[in-house]
Amino acid sequence: MAITTPGVLPGQLASRDAAARSPSQPEVAKADPAPSLCADDVTQQGVQAAQRSLADDATPEIDIEKVNQMQTLLASPPFSIDADALAASMLDYFQTRGA
């Protein structure tokens, strides 16, 4: 059993709009609605907002008193570094932070 649709050629799909138009009426292009945002777009917008926030807050938090203490300590002659203790402290710090 063959189904025929007037005004539709084989291989074409019929739509409600096509059935409502007469052959003399040209098809009018419809404007696409505003694109909807997907999760990736929302995530990207959040990342960009965070980056802008960080860029706006460019003033680092520096403890000037601590900096002065370290400069004084480094300038003094009896200053020495225990490399093993420093390495162990660094390892402990970065391992507990999950870095």
Side-chain angles (χ1 to χ4, degrees), residues 12 24-26 34-35 43 47 54-55 57-58 60 73-74 78-79 81 88 90-91 93 97:
Q12 288 182 332
S24 64
Q25 290 178 323
T43 302
V47 169
L54 288 172
D57 188 24
L73 181 63
L74 289 171
F79 183 75
I81 297 174
M90 290 172 66
L91 284 172
Y93 175 77
R97 288 187 65 211

Side-chain angles (χ1 to χ4, degrees), residues 4-97:
T4 59
T5 306
V8 178
L9 299 174
Q12 288 182 332
L13 297 175
S15 69
R16 283 183 257 143
D17 292 339
R21 284 191 313 269
S22 69
S24 64
Q25 290 178 323
E27 186 173 338
V28 177
K30 295 181 181 179
D32 290 333
S36 62
L37 297 175
C38 69
D40 290 338
D41 294 335
V42 172
T43 302
Q44 183 66 26
Q45 288 176 352
V47 169
Q48 289 172 347
Q51 288 173 335
R52 282 190 301 274
S53 175
L54 288 172
D56 292 343
D57 188 24
T59 306
E61 296 179 20
I62 299 174
D63 185 351
I64 298 298
E65 183 178 330
K66 186 77 166 179
V67 170
N68 291 334
Q69 289 175 354
M70 291 303 296
Q71 287 176 337
T72 303
L73 181 63
L74 289 171
S76 65
F79 183 75
S80 66
I81 297 174
D82 182 358
D84 291 331
L86 177 61
S89 177
M90 290 172 66
L91 284 172
D92 182 53
Y93 175 77
F94 285 108
Q95 287 175 346
T96 58
R97 288 187 65 211

